[in-house]
C-alpha cells in the first residue's frame, strides 16, 4: 500500500512561520488488524538510515507506486529532505518496530511512513499534499488506515483542513484507504494519475469507520490473549526455604503452578528453567522491516502464545524483550512495584509498555490476578485462581487482584458461571474498554460485568459501552460512589467535573450501575438466566399477606407496576391451590414479570411452590425472580426444563434484593427498545458550509491564542464572532459609564431596552437593583441609570461602575447553558433554569458530547424546574425546540474546540417563539489532547 511522491519533484527547504519543537504528543502505540502492535511517532533526522533500509527492502512494485519510478535507493539529498521536517508545514510520522543488526545490536525498523507538505497556506483553507508507504509484509494489516488517522489529527492541530494526493489507478489499496476512511473525498483522473482530495473535518461516517476499525483491532488483540494455549511462566524458582524467606514473586509463581496442577484446563504451562529455556524459544534469525514481529511469527523450536511473569520491573522488561519472535501475543504481569513506586516506577511502566507494544504484544497488569476462560476445548488457565468458576455466560472484568478474588468467589458461591475472567491490575495497557470490544462479538458471553476501581478514559468507555449495551447487557460497579477513588498504581487524570458526571456518563452508555459486588451479581444472575421482560408489570406470589404487601411496596418504589392484588399462599397450601395461583400469574398477558417470595414462619418450606413457579417460568418464558428461605444464587431446586431447554430461576437473600435487581433489568430492557436518537448536527453558519464555519471558528481561536498564549476571556466582539460560527446570535449590548452614554446606546440599539450592572456579581441580581427591564424612554433610562450607578457604588468595591444597555429581547424563561473542558471527561455541557434553581439547589443536568437529539431533549426535561418551560400555572409554553437548538449548538462547538476552557450563556431567554442569548462569557486556553481523540492509540 503505497502512495507516490514523484522522484523528480523538487522538495525545497521550507521555513516554518511557527516555532515548534518535537511534538512528543503525536507518539502513540497502535493495534493492527491482526491484533499485533506498532509504535507511531514523528520522524527524526537520525531516522535516515532506517528510512533507507525500509526503502531498499520494498518490492519494485511498492517503490514504483510510491515514487512513480523504480527507485531502489533514496538519493542522499532527497533522503535528508524527507527526514527533516518542521512539524507544522512539513510533518511526517513513522511506524516502527524493534529490529536487530547483524551483530545483534538492537535497532528500530521503520515499517510504515506518512507525511504531509503544505501546498496552500491561505488562512482558513490550508491544504497539504499527503503520501504513504507501507512495508510489504504489513500491507493489508490496516497500518495505512491508522497512519491516515494520525497524520490527519496532526494536520488538523496545525491548521490543515484538506489533504490532496496523487495516486496511480492501479494502487487500489491506497485509493481504498482514502475512500473507506469516511471523510468527504473527491477524486478525478488526469494524465493517468488519480488526484484525491480529502476534507479533514470529521464526519459521522469517519467517526463510525474509526470506531468499527478500533473495535475489530482491539477485539482481535484480546482474542490473541484469551485464546492462548501455550503459556510461559517466568519468575524466580522456589528455594525450598521457609515461608518467611520466600519472596512475593516466588509465592506468585508457586500459586500459578499449583493452580495449573489442580485445574490445567486446556492450557499447556511451560515453566522457564524447568520445562524450557530461552535458547529453546529463540527464533532462528533476527527480524527486520520485512517481517512481522506480531502474532504467529515464532521461528524457534518452541513457540508460546502468552507469558505470565512475576519479577521485579527491570526483569519484567527484559523478559518482554526476550519474547521477541516467540509468537507471544502478550504478557500478564502478576507482580507490583511500578507506578505506585513514584516517578521512577512510572518511568519503568512507560518503558514496559513501549517495549511490549514495540514487540507487538499487549500487557495485562501490573498486579494482575490473571486470565481465565471456560471456552469448550480452549479453557485458558493463566491466573492465581486455584479453582475456576463453573462455565457460564457471564464475562467478568476487574482491576486489582483482591476485587477479582472477591468477585470470583461470589460467582462460585452463587453457582453463576463465567465465560471469561480478566483482571487488569493497574490497567497500564489492557483495560475494560479492550475487553468490552472483545465481548461484543464473543458467542460465549451474554452478560458483561465490570468492577472498575478507576475509569481512565470515560469518553471511550461511554462510546464502547453504549455500542455493546445495545446487544448485550453491561453491569458496572465503579469504586466509590462518585468514581473518585484512585488506588495506588493507577494513573488517572484529575477532574473538576461535578460528582454526578459519572452517573451521567453511565446513563448515556446504557449500562446498569451497581453499588457493590453483591448488587453486581444480583443483576447478573437475572440477566444470565432470565429473558428480558417485555414491560414493567409485575405479578406477586408470596407466602403471607404481609410479605405480599411489603413486596408490592418495593415493586412500586422500583418504578414498576403491581398487577392486580398480590397472591398469598401459606407454606402448607395444597397443590391444586398452588397450581391455580401459578396458572393465573403466568396466564397470557397477565404480567411481564413475576416475584415469588416464600418465607415460612412455623411450617417448613416445601418445594411445591418453587417447583410450580420454575416449571411455569420455563414453559412461558416469563421473567421470574425468587426470594425463598434457604435459597441463594442459582440453586437446582429452581431449575426446570421445557422443550429440552433448562431454565434456572435466580434466588435472592431478601425480597428487596430481588425486586431491585428486577427493576434494573426492566429499565435496561426499556432502554434497549428506546429511540436513542441521532447525533446533533445542526447547520452551523448561514450562507457557508459547515466545514467553512468550523474553519472560521478554528482560525479565530488560533488567532486569539496566538495573541494570548496563556489564555484569555473573549470580549463581546470576539464572543459574537465565535458564536456566529455555530449559528448562535449574541444579543447586542453596549457598556456605558454615565446616564448620557446609556441614552445614546439605547437610541443606537432601539427602544425599549434593559439596563444591567455589568459586574458578574450583580448582572443577574434584580433583587439588589442590578437589572431594570423594558425601559421605554430616555427620561426613565436616565433615572434608572442614576439609581443603578448609586447602587453599584454602594455594593461594589470598584470606584467607577460599568453598566450594560441591551435591546429588550422577547420575554421568556431565563435559562443557563454552560460548557466546561474537563481534563478527564473532555467537554461537559450543562443546562438549568436561571435563578435560585441553579445557584442554590444545583438543579442542573449534564451531558458529555457528542450528544444525540434524545440526549438534548432529556437534558432540558431532566431539571426539576422544567415545568416552567411547558406552561406552568397558566404561563405560555416556551419554545423548547429553540432552546434545544441552542444547547445542541453549544455541544457541537464544545466538541469541536478543546480550547474552550469554559462557555457560559446566561441568560438564554426562551420566549413563546425563539431563544435569545443575552450574555456570553467565553474563556480560551491552550488545549490538551483529550482522552478519546480522533485517532486510535493504546495507553502509553
Amino acid at each position: 500500500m503505497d502512495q507516490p511522491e514523484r522522484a523528480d519533484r523538487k522538495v525545497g527547504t521550507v521555513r516554518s512561520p511557527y516555532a515548534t519543537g518535537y511534538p512528543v504528543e503525536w507518539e502513540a502505540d497502535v493495534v493492527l488488524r491482526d491484533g499485533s502492535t506498532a509504535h507511531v511517532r514523528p520522524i527524526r533526522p537520525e531516522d535516515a538510515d532506517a528510512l533507507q533500509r525500509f526503502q531498499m527492502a520494498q518490492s519494485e512494485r511498492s517503490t514504483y507506486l510510491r515514487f512513480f519510478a523504480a527507485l531502489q535507493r533514496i538519493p542522499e539529498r532527497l533522503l535528508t529532505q524527507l527526514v527533516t521536517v518542521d512539524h507544522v508545514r512539513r510533518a511526517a510520522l513513522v511506524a516502527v518496530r524493534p529490529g536487530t543488526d547483524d551483530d545483534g545490536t538492537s535497532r528500530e525498523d521503520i515499517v510504515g511512513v506518512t507525511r504531509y507538505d503544505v501546498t496552500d497556506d491561505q488562512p482558513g483553507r490550508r491544504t497539504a499534499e499527503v503520501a504513504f508507504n507501507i512495508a510489504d509484509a504489513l500491507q493489508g494489516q490496516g497500518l495505512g488506515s491508522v497512519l491516515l488517522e494520525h497524520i490527519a489529527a496532526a494536520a488538523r492541530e496545525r491548521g490543515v483542513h484538506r489533504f490532496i494526493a496523487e495516486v496511480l489507478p492501479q494502487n487500489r489499496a491506497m485509493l481504498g484507504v482514502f475512500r473507506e476512511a469516511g471523510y468527504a473525498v473527491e477524486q478525478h483522473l488526469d494524465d493517468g494519475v488519480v488526484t484525491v482530495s480529502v476534507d479533514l473535518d470529521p464526519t459521522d461516517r469517519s467517526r463510525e469507520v474509526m470506531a468499527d476499525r478500533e473495535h475489530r483491532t482491539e477485539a482481535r488483540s484480546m482474542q490473541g490473549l484469551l485464546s492462548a494455549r501455550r503459556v510461559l511462566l517466568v519468575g524466580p524458582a522456589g528455594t525450598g526455604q521457609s515461608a518467611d524467606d520466600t519472596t512475593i514473586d516466588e509465592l506468585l509463581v508457586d500459586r500459578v503452578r499449583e493452580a495449573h496442577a489442580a485445574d490445567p484446563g486446556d492450557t499447556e504451562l511451560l515453566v522457564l528453567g524447568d520445562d524450557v529455556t530461552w535458547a529453546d524459544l529463540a527464533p532462528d534469525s533476527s527480524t527486520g522491516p520485512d517481517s512481522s514481529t506480531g502474532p504467529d511469527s515464532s521461528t524457534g523450536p518452541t513457540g508460546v502464545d502468552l507469558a505470565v511473569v512475576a519479577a521485579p520491573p527491570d526483569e519484567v522488561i527484559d523478559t518482554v524483550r526476550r519474547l521477541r519472535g516467540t509468537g507471544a501475543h502478550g504478557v500478564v504481569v502478576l507482580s507490583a512495584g511500578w507506578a505506585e513506586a513514584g516517578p521512577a516506577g512510572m518511568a519503568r511502566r512507560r518503558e514496559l509498555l513501549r517495549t511490549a507494544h514495540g514487540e507487538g504484544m499487549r500487557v495485562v497488569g501490573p498486579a494482575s490476578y490473571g486470565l481465565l476462560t471456560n471456552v469448550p476445548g480452549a479453557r485458558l488457565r493463566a491466573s492465581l485462581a486455584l479453582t475456576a468458576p463453573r462455565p457460564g455466560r457471564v464475562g467478568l472484568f476487574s482491576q486489582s487482584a483482591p476485587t477479582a478474588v472477591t468477585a470470583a468467589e461470589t460467582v462460585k458461591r452463587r453457582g453463576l458461571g463465567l465465560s471469561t475472567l480478566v483482571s487488569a491490575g493497574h490497567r497500564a495497557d489492557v483495560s475494560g474498554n479492550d475487553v468490552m470490544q472483545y465481548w461484543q462479538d464473543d458467542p460465549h458471553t451474554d452478560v458483561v460485568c465490570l468492577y472498575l476501581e478507576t475509569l481512565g478514559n470515560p469518553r471511550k468507555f461511554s462510546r464502547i459501552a453504549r455500542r455493546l449495551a445495545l446487544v448485550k447487557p453491561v453491569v458496572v460497579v465503579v469504586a466509590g460512589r462518585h468514581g473518585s477513588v484512585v488506588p495506588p498504581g493507577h494513573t488517572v487524570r484529575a477532574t473538576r467535573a461535578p460528582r454526578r458526571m459519572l452517573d451521567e456518563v453511565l446513563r448515556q452508555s446504557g449500562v446498569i450501575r451497581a453499588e457493590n459486588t453483591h448488587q453486581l451479581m444480583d443483576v447478573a444472575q437475572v440477566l444470565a438466566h432470565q429473558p428480558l421482560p417485555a414491560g414493567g408489570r409485575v405479578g406477586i406470589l408470596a407466602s403471607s399477606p404481609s410479605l405480599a404487601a411489603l413486596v408490592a411496596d418495593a415493586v412500586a418504589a422500583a418504578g414498576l407496576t403491581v398487577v392486580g392484588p398480590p397472591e398469598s399462599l401459606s407454606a402448607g397450601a395444597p397443590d391444586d391451590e398452588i397450581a391455580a395461583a401459578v396458572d393465573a400469574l403466568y396466564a397470557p398477558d397477565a404480567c411481564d414479570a413475576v416475584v415469588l417470595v416464600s418465607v415460612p414462619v412455623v411450617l417448613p418450606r416445601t418445594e411445591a411452590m418453587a417447583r410450580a413457579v420454575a416449571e411455569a417460568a420455563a414453559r412461558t418464558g416469563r421473567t421470574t425472580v425468587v426470594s425463598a428461605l434457604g435459597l441463594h444464587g442459582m440453586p437446582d431446586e429452581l431449575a426446570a426444563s421445557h422443550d429440552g431447554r433448562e431454565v434456572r430461576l435466580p434466588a435472592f437473600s431478601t425480597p428487596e434484593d430481588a425486586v431491585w435487581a428486577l427493576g434494573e433489568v426492566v429499565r435496561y430492557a426499556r432502554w434497549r427498545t428506546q429511540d436513542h436518537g441521532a447525533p446533533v448536527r445542526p447547520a452551523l453558519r448561514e450562507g457557508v458550509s459547515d466545514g467553512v464555519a468550523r474553519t472560521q471558528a478554528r482560525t479565530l481561536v488560533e488567532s486569539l491564542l496566538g495573541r494570548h498564549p496563556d489564555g484569555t476571556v473573549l470580549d463581546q466582539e470576539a464572543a459574537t464572532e465565535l458564536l456566529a460560527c455555530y449559528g448562535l446570535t449574541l444579543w447586542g449590548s453596549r457598556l456605558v459609564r454615565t446616564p448620557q452614554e446609556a441614552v445614546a446606546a439605547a437610541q443606537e440599539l432601539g427602544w425599549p431596552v434593559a439596563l444591567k450592572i455589568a459586574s458578574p456579581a450583580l448582572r443577574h441580581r434584580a433583587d439588589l437593583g442590578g437589572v431594570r427591564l423594558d425601559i421605554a424612554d430616555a427620561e426613565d433610562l436616565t433615572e434608572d441609570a442614576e439609581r443603578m450607578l448609586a447602587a453599584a457604588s454602594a455594593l461594589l468595591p470598584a470606584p467607577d461602575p460599568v453598566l450594560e444597555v441591551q435591546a429588550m429581547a422577547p420575554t421568556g424563561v431565563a435559562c443557563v447553558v454552560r460548557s466546561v473542558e474537563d481534563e478527564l471527561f473532555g467537554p461537559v455541557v450543562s443546562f438549568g433554569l436561571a435563578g435560585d434553581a441553579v445557584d442554590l439547589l444545583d438543579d442542573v443536568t449534564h451531558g458529555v458530547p457528542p450528544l444525540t437529539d434524545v440526549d438534548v431533549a432529556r437534558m432540558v426535561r431532566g431539571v426539576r424546574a422544567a415545568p416552567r418551560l411547558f406552561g406552568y400555572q397558566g404561563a405560555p409554553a416556551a419554545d423548547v425546540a429553540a432552546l434545544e437548538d441552542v444547547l445542541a449548538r453549544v455541544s457541537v462547538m464544545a466538541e469541536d474546540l478543546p480550547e474552550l476552557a469554559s462557555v457560559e450563556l446566561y441568560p438564554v431567554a426562551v420566549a413563546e417563539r425563539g431563544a435569545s442569548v443575552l450574555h456570553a462569557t467565553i474563556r480560551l486556553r491552550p488545549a490538551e489532547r483529550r482522552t478519546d481523540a480522533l485517532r486510535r492509540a493504546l495507553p502509553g
Side-chain angles (χ1 to χ4, degrees):
M1 182 192 304
D2 312 283
Q3 193 278 322
E5 175 181 298
R6 296 185 179 180
D8 59 352
R9 176 173 293 137
K10 184 177 180 180
V11 183
T13 301
V14 180
R15 294 182 182 273
S16 170
Y18 305 93
T20 181
Y22 177 85
V24 66
E25 67 274 10
W26 289 358
E27 293 198 15
D29 295 325
V30 298
V31 183
L32 304 185
R33 189 170 294 157
D34 64 354
S36 66
T37 57
H39 184 67
V40 173
R41 61 167 174 79
I43 204 166
R44 302 165 183 157
E46 56 267 30
D47 288 324
D49 289 344
L51 186 61
Q52 190 70 273
R53 286 197 308 270
F54 168 77
Q55 175 65 25
M56 294 177 65
Q58 291 291 80
S59 65
E60 182 177 346
R61 181 177 186 277
S62 293
T63 298
Y64 180 75
L65 294 178
R66 171 64 176 87
F67 290 100
F68 287 12
L71 190 68
Q72 183 180 6
R73 287 183 60 89
I74 303 174
E76 287 302 316
R77 180 172 176 273
L78 178 59
L79 181 63
T80 300
Q81 293 168 348
L82 291 176
V83 297
T84 304
V85 295
D86 62 14
H87 309 297
V88 179
R89 299 188 76 254
R90 299 183 64 198
L93 302 176
V94 290
V96 297
R97 279 179 168 173
T100 308
D101 287 328
D102 293 338
D103 61 0
T105 304
S106 296
R107 71 187 189 199
E108 261 189 344
D109 286 325
I110 293 175
V111 294
V113 59
T114 179
R115 64 181 296 110
Y116 76 73
D117 294 84
V118 172
T119 58
D120 185 346
D121 208 15
Q122 297 184 48
R125 48 176 292 185
R126 182 177 289 176
T127 301
E129 186 171 0
V130 68
F132 297 82
N133 200 356
I134 306 301
D136 291 343
L138 288 181
Q139 292 184 18
Q141 293 299 328
L143 181 55
S145 299
V146 169
L147 287 178
L148 175 58
E149 287 177 16
H150 284 250
I151 197 69
R156 283 192 296 267
E157 289 183 17
R158 299 307 193 224
V160 176
H161 306 286
R162 179 175 291 271
F163 278 162
I164 57 172
E166 293 182 350
V167 187
L168 291 174
Q170 59 265 43
N171 197 350
R172 291 186 295 271
M174 197 65 244
L175 290 172
V177 168
F178 288 124
R179 187 173 54 251
E180 296 166 8
Y183 297 110
V185 176
E186 299 176 357
Q187 63 182 59
H188 66 273
L189 181 65
D190 184 24
D191 194 24
V193 176
V194 179
T195 300
V196 181
S197 176
V198 183
D199 189 339
L200 296 185
D201 283 329
T203 65
D204 289 342
R205 176 60 182 156
S206 70
R207 289 183 173 90
E208 181 183 346
V209 167
M210 191 202 76
D212 286 341
R213 289 171 172 169
E214 177 186 65
H215 164 66
R216 290 194 299 269
T217 57
E218 292 181 357
R220 180 66 182 270
S221 175
M222 291 305 303
Q223 172 69 26
L225 299 178
L226 296 174
S227 63
R229 301 294 293 273
R230 306 190 79 192
V231 176
L232 177 68
L233 177 61
V234 181
T239 62
Q241 299 175 353
S242 67
D244 292 340
D245 296 326
T246 304
T247 67
I248 184 63
D249 291 335
E250 290 172 338
L251 291 174
L252 293 172
V253 169
D254 289 344
R255 169 58 72 90
V256 174
R257 300 181 71 163
E258 183 182 357
H260 184 266
D263 177 16
D266 298 299
T267 303
E268 179 184 359
L269 183 68
L270 304 175
V271 180
L272 185 69
D274 289 355
D275 306 315
V276 69
T277 66
W278 284 121
D280 298 326
L281 298 170
D284 292 335
S285 60
S286 65
T287 58
D290 284 340
S291 63
S292 169
T293 58
D296 306 321
S297 61
S298 172
T299 56
T302 302
V304 296
D305 304 312
L306 181 71
V308 177
V309 185
D314 291 340
E315 294 181 24
V316 174
I317 295 170
D318 182 64
T319 296
V320 173
R321 293 193 179 101
R322 287 171 171 264
L323 287 169
R324 179 187 305 171
T326 63
H329 297 267
V331 55
V332 177
V333 182
L334 302 179
S335 46
W338 299 78
E340 68 272 30
M346 190 65 204
R348 285 195 295 268
R349 190 174 101 160
R350 284 193 293 267
E351 184 181 358
L352 169 65
L353 295 185
R354 174 67 189 279
T355 303
H357 293 163
E359 302 291 356
M361 290 181 281
R362 302 296 304 273
V363 176
V364 182
S368 168
Y369 189 64
L371 306 177
L372 184 152
T373 69
N374 280 320
V375 177
R379 295 168 299 161
L380 172 63
R381 300 293 184 262
S383 79
L384 299 171
L386 288 175
T387 58
R390 60 185 287 183
R393 309 295 299 179
V394 176
L396 178 61
F397 172 87
S398 73
Q399 290 173 350
S400 72
T403 60
V405 172
T406 301
E409 290 303 313
T410 303
V411 165
K412 285 189 279 189
R413 283 197 303 271
R414 296 192 183 214
L416 185 54
L418 293 181
S419 65
T420 319
L421 171 64
V422 176
S423 166
H426 296 164
R427 59 156 188 76
D429 181 11
V430 169
S431 70
N433 292 337
D434 296 283
V435 185
M436 286 193 293
Q437 299 276 36
Y438 168 76
W439 278 327
Q440 180 171 327
D441 303 317
D442 178 28
H444 305 286
T445 301
D446 295 332
V447 180
V448 171
C449 291
L450 305 154
Y451 194 112
L452 305 176
E453 293 164 58
T454 55
L455 206 57
N457 191 342
R459 286 170 60 84
K460 183 174 180 179
F461 171 86
S462 178
R463 174 167 52 81
I464 295 174
R466 189 167 189 160
R467 180 172 177 163
L468 174 59
L470 289 171
V471 293
K472 295 179 181 181
V474 181
V475 193
V476 179
V477 174
V478 181
R481 293 188 60 85
H482 307 293
S484 56
V485 175
V486 182
H490 290 241
T491 55
V492 183
R493 292 189 179 195
T495 178
R496 295 185 178 181
R499 290 189 168 187
R500 297 199 307 272
M501 198 62 248
L502 178 61
D503 293 328
E504 179 56 30
V505 168
L506 298 179
R507 190 210 61 77
Q508 282 185 220
S509 306
V511 307
I512 300 171
R513 183 173 186 181
E515 295 295 336
N516 48 51
T517 304
H518 178 76
Q519 289 187 349
L520 181 76
M521 297 306 165
D522 280 350
V523 177
Q525 64 185 28
V526 179
L527 292 167
H529 291 277
Q530 293 295 293
L532 292 179
R537 301 173 304 143
V538 178
I540 299 172
L541 179 59
S543 58
S544 73
S546 60
L547 267 181
L550 292 173
V551 174
D553 182 68
V555 168
L560 308 177
T561 304
V562 178
V563 177
E567 292 282 346
S568 60
L569 292 174
S570 64
D575 290 350
D576 58 339
E577 289 186 19
I578 294 175
V582 170
D583 288 345
L585 272 179
Y586 287 90
D589 201 39
C591 59
D592 301 309
V594 172
V595 178
L596 169 63
V597 180
S598 177
V599 184
V601 178
V602 177
L603 296 176
R605 180 178 58 82
T606 66
E607 296 183 3
M609 189 182 300
R611 183 173 60 252
V613 168
E615 291 173 352
R619 182 180 69 254
T620 62
R622 188 161 297 165
T623 310
T624 303
V625 295
V626 176
S627 177
L629 189 65
L631 299 181
H632 188 62
M634 311 304 303
D636 293 337
E637 186 176 327
L638 295 177
S641 297
H642 182 72
D643 290 339
R645 179 177 62 91
E646 185 186 71
V647 173
R648 286 179 180 265
L649 305 185
F652 298 85
S653 300
T654 69
E656 291 81 3
D657 289 344
V659 172
W660 178 85
L662 177 62
E664 294 301 310
V665 171
V666 169
R667 270 187 285 277
Y668 168 71
R670 288 171 176 165
W671 180 87
R672 278 266 293 258
T673 60
Q674 289 172 353
D675 175 20
H676 302 294
V680 290
R681 295 286 183 263
L684 300 183
R685 193 165 197 169
E686 187 175 354
V688 301
S689 69
D690 288 353
V692 170
R694 285 187 166 93
T695 297
Q696 292 171 343
R698 167 62 53 194
T699 302
L700 176 61
V701 168
E702 291 173 354
S703 173
L704 290 166
L705 286 176
R707 297 196 299 269
H708 307 280
D710 295 328
T712 184
V713 177
L714 272 58
D715 59 23
Q716 186 180 44
E717 181 181 356
T720 299
E721 175 61 21
L722 182 59
L723 292 175
C725 293
Y726 287 87
L728 293 166
T729 301
L730 182 59
W731 209 258
S733 67
R734 300 291 184 270
L735 297 180
V736 300
R737 296 181 183 275
T738 67
Q740 293 75 20
E741 290 179 3
V743 171
Q747 290 172 344
E748 177 188 353
L749 294 169
W751 303 93
V753 296
L755 184 66
K756 311 170 188 178
I757 298 177
S759 166
L762 297 176
R763 179 184 299 278
H764 311 294
R765 296 298 302 271
D767 57 328
L768 296 179
V771 181
R772 295 284 192 274
L773 301 178
D774 208 21
I775 305 172
D777 55 46
E779 181 180 354
D780 288 344
L781 179 57
T782 300
E783 294 177 0
D784 288 336
E786 291 173 346
R787 284 196 295 266
M788 194 171 290
L789 286 169
S793 298
L795 294 171
L796 296 174
D800 190 14
V802 178
L803 304 182
E804 181 179 7
V805 180
Q806 188 170 53
M808 277 296 299
T811 303
V813 180
C815 299
V816 186
V817 175
R818 294 188 175 106
S819 175
V820 175
E821 182 73 18
D822 184 74
E823 188 175 348
L824 179 63
F825 289 94
V828 176
V829 179
S830 63
F831 168 77
L833 270 66
D836 292 344
V838 169
D839 299 334
L840 297 180
L841 304 179
D842 195 27
D843 185 17
V844 178
T845 54
H846 303 279
V848 177
L851 301 177
T852 68
D853 51 354
V854 171
D855 293 330
V856 171
R858 182 209 55 79
M859 287 182 66
V860 170
R861 291 158 179 79
V863 294
R864 296 189 295 277
R868 289 179 53 200
L869 295 167
F870 297 93
Y872 181 66
Q873 292 188 344
D879 190 345
V880 173
L883 172 61
E884 291 175 350
D885 182 67
V886 171
L887 188 54
R889 292 175 185 276
V890 170
S891 76
V892 172
M893 181 171 65
E895 175 77 357
D896 286 350
L897 302 173
E899 296 86 355
L900 290 179
S902 63
V903 176
E904 181 183 76
L905 307 185
Y906 183 12
V908 177
V910 189
E912 291 183 73
R913 283 193 174 185
S916 304
V917 180
L918 302 184
H919 184 76
T921 303
I922 301 176
R923 185 167 64 90
L924 299 181
R925 69 180 178 194
E928 295 186 6
R929 186 178 296 277
R930 287 171 174 165
T931 56
D932 192 26
L934 290 172
R935 59 170 199 157
R936 286 173 280 166
L938 294 173

